[in-house]
Amino acid sequence: MIGTTTTVHAMETGCVLRSDAHGRGYMTEALHAVVQTAWLSADRIRIFATCHPENMASQRLLERYEFIRKGRLRTYQVYPNISGEPTDVFLYDRVRG
């Protein structure tokens, strides 16, 4: 599952993938589509993304698509497959240009 939230100037995206679907290129395809869609709006200048700090595959994927890690958000998001409690995430962004 991939989701996005948009404003005039920014888009935020996040995704959850079942473990039996890992390594099949689904997230690469999805992130490519998100980036292409984000830049359809001439006014949109930034894309945000978050990922779990232990999810190295997502970090590598975001960095391959030129996202830059901006920091760590404490107790920000619930990952139901990990815990019912909010956990930290890494915040990434990519700026047009």
Side-chain angles (χ1 to χ4, degrees):
M1 175 178 79
I2 192 159
T4 60
T5 303
T6 60
T7 66
V8 172
H9 299 291
M11 176 183 278
E12 181 178 352
T13 188
C15 60
V16 176
L17 186 64
R18 292 173 29 159
S19 60
D20 63 346
H22 290 182
R24 298 185 181 186
Y26 297 134
M27 286 297 100
T28 300
E29 185 178 334
L31 186 59
H32 179 79
V34 165
V35 170
Q36 295 303 310
T37 301
W39 298 151
L40 289 176
S41 168
D43 293 329
R44 194 159 296 123
I45 58 172
R46 184 179 308 273
I47 310 169
F48 293 102
T50 59
C51 72
H52 193 277
E54 295 176 11
N55 189 336
M56 298 305 294
S58 288
Q59 292 173 48
R60 285 190 302 271
L61 176 62
L62 289 167
E63 290 166 5
R64 190 166 61 235
Y65 272 82
E66 301 177 358
F67 282 75
I68 305 297
R69 186 186 311 169
K70 295 300 186 175
R72 186 181 197 119
L73 301 175
R74 302 281 181 199
T75 61
Y76 183 78
Q77 188 168 340
V78 174
Y79 289 90
N81 59 327
I82 297 173
S83 168
E85 297 296 318
T87 186
D88 294 0
V89 298
F90 284 149
L91 175 65
Y92 284 80
D93 81 342
R94 178 175 166 175
V95 177
R96 184 192 301 263

